[in-house]
Amino acid sequence: MAIDRRREAAGGGPGRQPPPAEENGSLPPGDAAASAPLGGRAGPSGGGGEIQPLPAPHPAAGGQHPGCSSAAAAAPSLLLLDYDGSVLPFLGGLGGGYQKTLVLLTWIPALFIGFSQFSDSFLLDQPNFWCRGAGKGAELAGVTATGRWDSGDVANWTSPPTTPFSTASWGAAGNLSNSSGADGGDTPPLPSPPDKGNNASNCDCHAWDYGIRTGLVQNVVSKWDLVCDNAWKVHIAKFSLLVGLIFGYLITGCIADWVGRRPVLLFSIIFILIFGLTVALSVNVTMFSTLRFFEGFCLAGIILTLYALRIELCPPGKRFMITMVASFVAMAGQFLMPGLAALCRDWQVLQALIICPFLLMLLYWSIFPESLRWLMATQQFESAKKLILHFTQKNCMNPESDIKGVMPELEKELSRRPKKVCIVKVVGTRNLWKNIVVLCVNSLTGYGIHHCFARSMMGHEVKVPLLENFYADYYTVASIALASCLAMCVVVRFLGRRGGLLLFMILTALASLLQLGLLNLIGKYSQHPDSGMSDSVKDKFSITFSIVGMFASHAVGSLSVFFCAEITPTVIRCGGLGLVLASAGFGMLTAPIIDLHNQKGYFLHHIIFACCTLICIICILLLPESRNQSLPENISNGEHYTRQPLLPHKKGEQPLLLTNAELKDYSGLHDAATAGDGLPENATANGMKSM
């Protein structure tokens, strides 16, 4: 009996189950197959692959040993899981004519999306206004005061980012200057802002005349007299599209991962036509704002699915280039928008003209297929086989070119049941959720601080004649965004995704801190006549830091979204993209919120986002590098997308970090040798491939 008790104390009792495979360093057959294609193969650039083999999950309920699992529960063939290494080369990569056509079809709608994104700056721009019946002198007074009014009004502007998920918050009604008698004794005063007295005599008017600056004869503000006491409704109308985009990103992203990219795209097209055209028929501002919410919701579905489809069609070396071309097409819509508004003259015609091009996308129902990569990742092999045959037929390919035997392996897996995943599965991961959260914070900070720099450059405190005209303001912001995208192409080409994001975030932080600290110091010295400082010097520094900040923060936001699309697994890519894009929407939402409160809390807003940039600089170092790497296909691949240092290790240098397998158990030394045996032959102590 004593011997039996000693055996039970040592863990050798009759009721003890054998240790699971992950504790002794071995992998079950299914999980080893699932993690091998991307982890055991070097990237196209010749460097070490970064998606490492995955430790096995715990055995299923019931205590069944992993080795006893049935063939149906095992992972699919390694060949089918390696989409970038086997399936995509079999289809000809991006060299096939059909693949090029599909990429082109994802570019064309970016122009229509650009029109919709920047429509708020024309539909909801606050014009000059004066009381009707005051005579020609009042109109001249409004025109004369335009320069002063513009310079105060553009303080509320936020630059419109060129990513396919942005809207701009343009002038606010609450910042009109009261110029009574300033420009001539005969001219009646302009109305004062409602926050300076709702009962002001110069707002006591029953009818208004407007001087619209955007090339339109009538817009939403002049249609329903959204001035003085009703000025707050303009901000609510601006909220509606942004809030619709935020909810659309979150909801359509989850749906696209469950039912597919194609159904979400097609239904979003149908409903944006319904809601978008109905916006032009609105009878009041409440109806306008409500319908704009649903328009933004559907627009988010189109943006999200096209972004994911574009990424999933491309081989590793072409993903960034294809995505940036789409961004440039969307920017073309931004540059063409003023001409479109001048051509339409009326806001209802402009709204209808923005939405009608989406009618062409109804043809996508018959010509645009489902994402083959998503079908393979979710193990829908029956549909994947039909789509592969469709690709080979369109490309006039010979089936005998299947050197690796993709089709025979696919035939063996046709009976497998689909395995779809929801974004909530990220909660149970270690690294994947961390990567997504870091990119969410980056996009939130980038687009949130963008408004701070825009206000500093175009605010009333900077007297720059060039920035007192609507079109000069609009094209200045657009040109900065264009320069940012061009610089991003060069920087990412040499520094990679993580290095480029880190560089632009450092520039954003420096511009923000210098603007908050140095300008206050210059302003203090400018009060002394012997210091040689003046307000003009402060204005020049403010404009310089603002341009650098807008330039860098735009790149931070755009690159964060692209980074997320690359490191998020295919099975939940739309859900991960939706989270990052929704975070970007929250960042942009801070601009109309501050405008609604008449810029109260603006300085604190800038300080908070400046602190966030410093936090983001540290967090970016935790991200992996995805340049020239295969896209992760399932949660296992995404979880083990390991991080490499910015500077490579020297030859012969031993890293200090241990692998997950070695960190599993600290309780005893007897497992150390077993854990070491479970490591791949081509892996070093920190999970990187040995040279």
Side-chain angles (χ1 to χ4, degrees):
M1 295 298 293
I3 296 176
D4 293 339
R5 284 195 296 270
R6 284 196 299 269
R7 288 179 179 176
E8 292 176 3
R16 178 176 173 83
Q17 298 293 332
E22 69 175 23
E23 294 183 2
N24 61 10
S26 61
L27 290 173
D31 292 320
S35 60
L38 295 175
R41 180 175 54 87
S45 62
E50 292 203 3
I51 305 179
Q52 300 300 326
L54 176 69
H58 293 286
Q64 183 181 6
H65 194 275
C68 301
S69 59
S70 62
S77 170
L78 305 181
L79 196 65
L80 301 180
L81 293 176
D82 188 10
Y83 187 89
D84 284 318
S86 58
V87 180
L88 196 58
F90 167 58
L91 299 177
L94 201 59
Y98 189 52
Q99 288 90 312
K100 292 180 180 178
T101 302
L102 295 180
V103 170
L104 179 63
L105 291 176
T106 64
W107 285 344
I108 295 175
L111 182 65
F112 316 147
I113 293 171
F115 290 150
S116 297
Q117 288 172 333
F118 302 103
S119 60
D120 270 359
S121 56
F122 297 87
L123 299 178
L124 297 170
D125 177 63
Q126 178 66 49
N128 297 327
F129 59 95
W130 53 90
C131 191
R132 185 174 298 172
K136 185 67 176 177
E139 181 178 355
L140 293 176
V143 175
T144 304
T146 300
R148 188 182 310 134
W149 180 85
D150 283 344
S151 61
D153 179 64
V154 293
N156 299 327
W157 285 29
T158 181
S159 59
T162 58
T163 51
F165 33 86
S166 60
T167 55
S169 171
W170 305 94
N175 286 288
L176 290 171
S177 300
N178 186 359
S179 58
S180 57
D183 300 299
D186 298 331
T187 58
L190 288 174
S192 62
D195 52 31
K196 293 183 181 180
N198 292 332
N199 297 322
S201 59
N202 46 8
C203 267
D204 187 12
C205 186
H206 300 289
W208 303 95
D209 285 327
Y210 297 92
I212 302 177
R213 312 173 298 159
T214 59
L216 296 173
V217 175
Q218 185 186 60
N219 67 357
V220 174
V221 178
S222 63
K223 172 72 173 178
W224 293 302
D225 293 330
L226 304 181
V227 294
C228 291
D229 292 343
N230 293 322
W232 61 274
K233 297 179 181 179
V234 178
H235 304 293
I236 301 301
K238 293 175 182 178
F239 291 163
S240 60
L241 186 67
L242 269 176
V243 175
L245 283 168
I246 292 172
F247 279 94
Y249 289 137
L250 295 174
I251 296 175
T252 59
C254 296
I255 298 175
D257 286 332
W258 194 259
V259 303
R261 286 77 164 113
R262 183 173 177 267
V264 173
L265 174 63
L266 297 177
F267 279 101
S268 298
I269 293 169
I270 293 173
F271 284 105
I272 198 175
L273 288 170
I274 296 174
F275 291 116
L277 293 176
T278 311
V279 167
L281 304 176
S282 300
V283 296
N284 52 45
V285 68
T286 303
M287 180 179 177
F288 176 86
S289 300
T290 304
L291 292 174
R292 287 283 280 180
F293 171 85
F294 291 106
E295 180 188 348
F297 188 96
C298 300
L299 184 64
I302 297 175
I303 294 172
L304 188 65
T305 51
L306 286 177
Y307 204 102
L309 286 168
R310 201 178 295 124
I311 291 288
E312 292 171 357
L313 278 170
C314 302
K318 303 292 184 181
R319 290 194 297 258
F320 186 73
M321 179 194 70
I322 298 299
T323 303
M324 291 309 300
V325 170
S327 297
F328 288 127
V329 175
M331 292 180 62
Q334 180 182 3
F335 278 94
L336 294 175
M337 193 63 193
L340 197 64
L343 180 66
C344 295
R345 306 292 291 172
D346 187 83
W347 75 270
Q348 293 176 308
V349 179
L350 177 62
Q351 173 67 18
L353 192 61
I354 288 172
I355 297 298
C356 282
F358 286 102
L359 287 169
L360 300 176
M361 295 187 68
L362 292 176
L363 299 175
Y364 284 32
W365 190 280
S366 59
I367 62 177
F368 208 96
E370 182 56 85
S371 170
L372 178 59
R373 188 188 293 268
W374 177 77
L375 291 175
M376 299 289 288
T378 54
Q379 302 180 14
Q380 302 181 63
F381 295 122
E382 184 69 35
S383 301
K385 177 186 175 182
K386 296 178 182 178
L387 190 53
I388 289 177
L389 295 176
H390 179 69
F391 269 81
T392 56
Q393 181 182 1
K394 289 290 185 179
N395 290 329
C396 301
M397 295 175 56
N398 186 1
E400 297 180 358
S401 62
D402 184 11
I403 302 176
K404 295 187 177 182
V406 174
M407 293 304 293
E409 291 292 336
L410 192 60
E411 293 285 349
K412 300 177 183 178
E413 305 288 348
L414 294 180
S415 60
R416 186 179 296 273
R417 296 182 60 182
K419 187 178 180 181
K420 300 177 182 179
V421 184
C422 184
I423 187 63
V424 296
K425 293 289 185 180
V426 172
V427 178
T429 62
R430 287 184 178 181
N431 297 323
L432 188 55
W433 74 269
K434 175 256 298 177
N435 294 337
I436 294 178
V437 168
V438 168
L439 292 174
C440 285
V441 176
N442 274 270
S443 62
L444 173 66
T445 303
Y447 287 114
I449 203 171
H450 197 275
H451 167 67
C452 302
F453 292 121
R455 181 188 181 278
S456 298
M457 185 177 70
M458 300 178 181
H460 62 277
E461 68 274 8
V462 179
K463 282 53 174 193
V464 182
L466 178 64
L467 300 180
E468 295 180 356
N469 179 270
F470 172 82
Y471 294 105
D473 294 331
Y474 185 84
Y475 283 114
T476 298
V477 171
S479 300
I480 292 173
L482 177 61
S484 176
C485 288
L486 292 173
M488 190 164 54
C489 295
V490 177
V491 171
V492 172
R493 172 68 177 82
F494 291 99
L495 299 182
R497 280 65 159 151
R498 184 176 59 167
L501 185 59
L502 181 62
L503 174 63
F504 287 119
M505 184 59 79
I506 291 174
L507 289 177
T508 304
L510 288 176
S512 180
L513 295 176
L514 289 174
Q515 193 168 53
L516 290 172
L518 183 60
L519 293 184
N520 288 334
L521 184 63
I522 294 176
K524 184 183 297 184
Y525 278 104
S526 63
Q527 298 176 359
H528 303 285
D530 298 334
S531 62
M533 297 290 183
S534 63
D535 290 339
S536 61
V537 175
K538 181 180 178 181
D539 290 346
K540 291 178 182 178
F541 274 108
S542 179
I543 293 173
T544 302
F545 295 147
S546 298
I547 292 176
V548 173
M550 293 173 66
F551 170 88
S553 61
H554 178 270
V556 166
S558 301
L559 196 53
S560 297
V561 177
F562 175 75
F563 210 157
C564 176
E566 284 198 322
I567 67 175
T568 306
T570 301
V571 292
I572 56 169
R573 178 162 293 120
C574 286
L577 267 175
L579 290 174
V580 177
L581 289 171
S583 300
F586 277 114
M588 291 183 287
L589 196 60
T590 58
I593 289 176
I594 291 181
D595 294 342
L596 184 61
H597 292 83
N598 196 24
Q599 302 300 319
K600 294 179 180 178
Y602 160 75
F603 188 72
L604 180 61
H605 171 220
H606 197 170
I607 290 178
I608 292 174
F609 279 112
C611 296
C612 289
T613 58
L614 301 178
I615 298 174
C616 290
I617 290 174
I618 301 174
C619 294
I620 289 172
L621 299 175
L622 302 176
L623 296 173
E625 176 56 60
S626 59
R627 179 173 59 176
N628 290 330
Q629 298 293 325
S630 299
L631 291 176
E633 304 298 338
N634 49 42
I635 298 290
S636 303
N637 300 143
E639 172 66 5
H640 285 260
Y641 214 133
T642 58
R643 174 180 59 88
Q644 283 185 345
L646 288 176
L647 299 176
H649 291 289
K650 297 179 181 180
K651 291 185 177 180
E653 181 180 354
Q654 292 297 327
L656 300 178
L657 297 179
L658 302 177
T659 61
N660 290 335
E662 293 169 324
L663 295 173
K664 282 292 181 181
D665 189 8
Y666 292 97
S667 60
L669 299 177
H670 62 279
D671 291 331
T674 311
D677 295 336
L679 289 175
E681 294 180 358
N682 57 348
T684 59
N686 66 343
M688 295 169 51
K689 282 183 173 293
S690 57
M691 301 300 293

